[in-house]
Amino acid sequence: MTHFTANSPHARDIASVLHPQTNARKHRETGPTIMTHAEGIFVHDDAGNAFLDAGAGLWCASLGYSNERLAKVAYEAMKTLGYYQIFRHASHGPAIDLSEKLLSIAPVPMSKVLLQCSGSEANDSAVKLVWYHWHAQGKPEKRKIISRRGSYHGSTCVAISLTAKPEYQTGFGLPFDGFLYTDCPDYYRTALPGETEEDFSQRLADKLEALILAEGPETVAAFWCDPVQGGAGALPPPRDYFQKIQAVLRKYDILMVADEVICGFGRTGHMWGCQAYGMEPDMISCAKALSAAMQPISAVLLNERIYQSVLQQSDKYGAFIHGYTYAGHPVAASVALETLKIYEEIGMIGHVRSVEPVFLRELGALRDHPLVGDFTGIGLIGGLELVRDKATRENWPAEIGLGARVDAHARRNGLILRIVGNRIAFSPPLIITADEIRELARRLRATLNAVHHEVSAL
Ligand SMILES: Cc1ncc(COP(=O)(O)O)c(C=O)c1O
């Protein structure tokens, strides 16, 4: 057990902070890693260590961990109009400008923008809009929502019901009824022997159709999907997957909602993940890189069809009765708008495309490592499969605690990794340079070598 001096920040943290996604009992022993400051893509802790965070925090710090220009914009916004709400016909410049900007860059024609404060809130509100829409259309029974196993869509009660991971749900008595799950498009782990990516995608689309028919298409409201599936370990879809899925959804008039919380704003080398895969959603939720993670803000983009339902419901109920105090917050909206300006000025998407080959080559080169089964990625997002046996793709037994070992060695090598199940998920800050990617790969190889040495001796 680690001993912390009374009144040290570590002891005070243990005494006062409840940490999300953290083993509460273990935290009492290990205490926190306290980050103090950052330079570019490196974040420093209070023990003097500098880390390259290969996950950009939580897939979000697109411009790194500090930014003078965004700080100035936030400061000015706080002096000019530090808060105002957008309820009951009230508005302000930053909310209007940001909504207009988002509509102008949307991957498919969108009609309106609903500003929120987090990815979870965006998905939660989008679920309400789905239900609202079908109520307006006189089909209140069209209510069930399908997402993919392994996906993560947030932590509110509804977003966690969309999240198809039992370990996130059972302790809370969730999910709510009416949330259904279909297959994760994990070609590496679940394709049949000799099955092509196209055939695999068709099989998954057929299974989705069978699920819809079994439930009754008149009861299925929407399908939720992130273009690259973050919760499954930054898993890109197999070839033709979304084309085949969309064909099924159109056949049964089921809405498609694209969760662009991770993929939006350049992550895939396109402004939107939807553009990388030809997706044509009815609604989009986005957050994270929208403000380079410097302010909590998110948005739902909705198409004209959904907006017409909102109009109709206003006639019926007197208003669109939904809202958060901080929705469209002028400071957050100003920072988001400036972030989008910065992306344009520095050619963020062009940069991601220019370093993508280095990212894919450097991390792909680790396929030769004895612990690595595969690597798949696009733009600056991807995942590495950890295996015990490359030929059979067998996993290491859970008791080995492989993920914790990888995490511990990575930190010793000045690297923060995001481990999701059997995959290491990479989503470095979008400003990462080719040299920094090579450094990431060097630290990663040193980490995997140390882990391999350790587990081989067991
Ligand atoms: C795909 C996806 N959707 C939604 C969320 C939830 O976003 P937030 O943590 O801002 O609520 C996340 C968070 O990581 C995510 O990865």
Side-chain angles (χ1 to χ4, degrees):
M1 169 148 178
T2 315
H3 288 284
F4 301 108
T5 324
N7 269 336
S8 69
H10 301 78
R12 287 168 43 222
D13 177 282
I14 292 169
S16 62
V17 182
L18 179 59
H19 289 269
Q21 309 282 357
T22 300
N23 182 317
R25 191 166 302 284
K26 192 169 163 215
H27 189 72
R28 294 164 67 90
E29 291 168 20
T30 61
T33 305
I34 297 180
M35 300 305 185
T36 52
H37 63 286
E39 271 156 30
I41 70 161
F42 290 87
V43 62
H44 296 249
D45 72 9
D46 64 350
N49 303 305
F51 299 99
L52 196 170
D53 186 341
L58 294 174
W59 328 77
C60 53
S62 50
L63 295 174
Y65 306 96
S66 60
N67 193 290
E68 184 80 17
R69 182 163 155 187
L70 294 179
K72 284 191 176 136
V73 165
Y75 175 73
E76 288 303 325
M78 277 189 201
K79 286 200 303 180
T80 312
L81 182 70
Y83 172 72
Y84 208 71
Q85 41 94 1
I86 55 171
F87 284 26
R88 300 187 190 91
H89 310 282
S91 197
H92 49 70
I96 300 167
D97 293 345
L98 180 61
S99 301
E100 217 172 52
K101 181 71 193 169
L102 285 170
L103 292 179
S104 77
I105 60 173
V108 289
M110 286 290 175
S111 176
K112 297 290 174 289
V113 175
L114 178 66
L115 294 169
Q116 310 281 266
C117 307
S118 70
S120 302
E121 276 182 17
N123 280 322
D124 205 295
S125 300
V127 169
K128 284 178 78 180
L129 281 168
V130 164
W131 290 336
Y132 206 52
H133 168 72
W134 289 120
H135 270 259
Q137 298 308 308
K139 297 181 180 174
E141 71 288 354
K142 212 165 162 62
R143 197 167 174 83
K144 294 174 190 165
I145 297 184
I146 303 179
S147 56
R148 284 106 42 91
R149 288 190 197 92
S151 62
Y152 179 76
H153 295 292
S155 276
T156 59
C157 291
V158 159
I160 213 72
S161 296
L162 284 172
T163 291
K165 285 175 177 271
E167 69 276 23
Y168 283 56
Q169 301 171 328
T170 44
F172 300 95
L174 289 165
F176 289 136
D177 288 344
F179 288 84
L180 313 170
Y181 310 117
T182 190
D183 295 70
C184 171
D186 186 346
Y187 180 73
Y188 178 76
R189 294 256 169 221
T190 57
L192 300 172
E195 194 173 37
T196 65
E197 285 192 43
E198 290 83 350
D199 289 348
F200 175 67
S201 295
Q202 188 58 56
R203 184 159 62 83
L204 264 49
D206 292 345
K207 286 178 82 176
L208 173 65
E209 181 164 17
L211 174 64
I212 292 166
L213 289 172
E215 293 290 331
E218 70 288 353
T219 69
V220 181
F223 180 81
W224 232 265
C225 49
D226 38 352
V228 174
Q229 201 175 349
L235 188 73
R239 249 188 300 282
D240 289 356
Y241 173 77
F242 282 113
Q243 281 64 32
K244 293 180 191 301
I245 293 288
Q246 277 176 159
V248 174
L249 301 177
R250 286 189 187 123
K251 188 166 164 190
Y252 298 105
D253 198 13
I254 293 168
L255 299 172
M256 183 196 237
V257 182
D259 179 338
E260 289 267 12
V261 168
I262 290 178
C263 293
F265 313 105
R267 175 59 64 193
T268 62
H270 301 260
M271 180 57 82
W272 305 93
C274 286
Q275 291 161 325
Y277 302 114
M279 295 162 67
E280 296 178 346
D282 296 283
M283 274 193 279
I284 290 174
S285 54
C286 60
K288 299 197 188 258
L290 168 58
S291 61
M294 299 274 171
Q295 283 286 299
I297 184 165
S298 66
V300 181
L301 281 61
L302 48 138
N303 69 11
E304 184 62 21
R305 188 178 172 204
I306 312 277
Y307 177 60
Q308 285 301 322
S309 292
V310 174
L311 284 179
Q312 221 176 296
Q313 296 297 67
S314 277
D315 297 338
K316 188 167 172 188
Y317 297 111
F320 171 48
I321 307 171
H322 168 93
Y324 297 98
T325 299
Y326 302 121
H329 196 289
V331 178
S334 301
V335 169
L337 203 58
E338 192 71 8
T339 301
L340 299 180
K341 251 189 228 160
I342 293 174
Y343 292 160
E344 276 173 16
E345 281 173 32
I346 65 177
M348 193 77 266
I349 291 171
H351 170 75
V352 173
R353 286 188 185 182
S354 76
V355 295
E356 177 184 34
V358 184
F359 178 73
L360 299 181
R361 190 175 58 242
E362 289 288 323
L363 295 185
L366 282 151
R367 287 192 191 96
D368 71 0
H369 194 277
L371 285 179
V372 176
D374 196 18
F375 171 78
T376 45
I378 180 173
L380 279 174
I381 184 165
L384 203 124
E385 292 278 347
L386 297 170
V387 287
R388 179 175 201 167
D389 185 317
K390 279 167 158 345
T392 62
R393 302 182 181 184
E394 179 197 348
N395 291 325
W396 287 88
E399 316 80 80
I400 297 283
L402 190 72
R405 290 173 194 271
V406 172
D407 186 49
H409 280 288
R411 281 172 193 254
R412 271 174 226 138
N413 282 302
L415 184 62
I416 295 179
L417 294 177
R418 184 77 189 267
I419 296 147
V420 186
N422 297 309
R423 278 172 82 88
I424 306 177
F426 300 92
S427 59
L430 299 181
I431 54 167
I432 194 168
T433 63
D435 278 346
E436 287 166 340
I437 292 171
R438 284 188 270 271
E439 181 58 20
L440 190 171
R442 197 190 61 71
R443 293 182 188 198
L444 181 63
R445 188 175 283 279
T447 298
L448 294 178
N449 285 345
V451 174
H452 184 241
H453 185 255
E454 201 171 274
V455 293
S456 300
L458 292 175

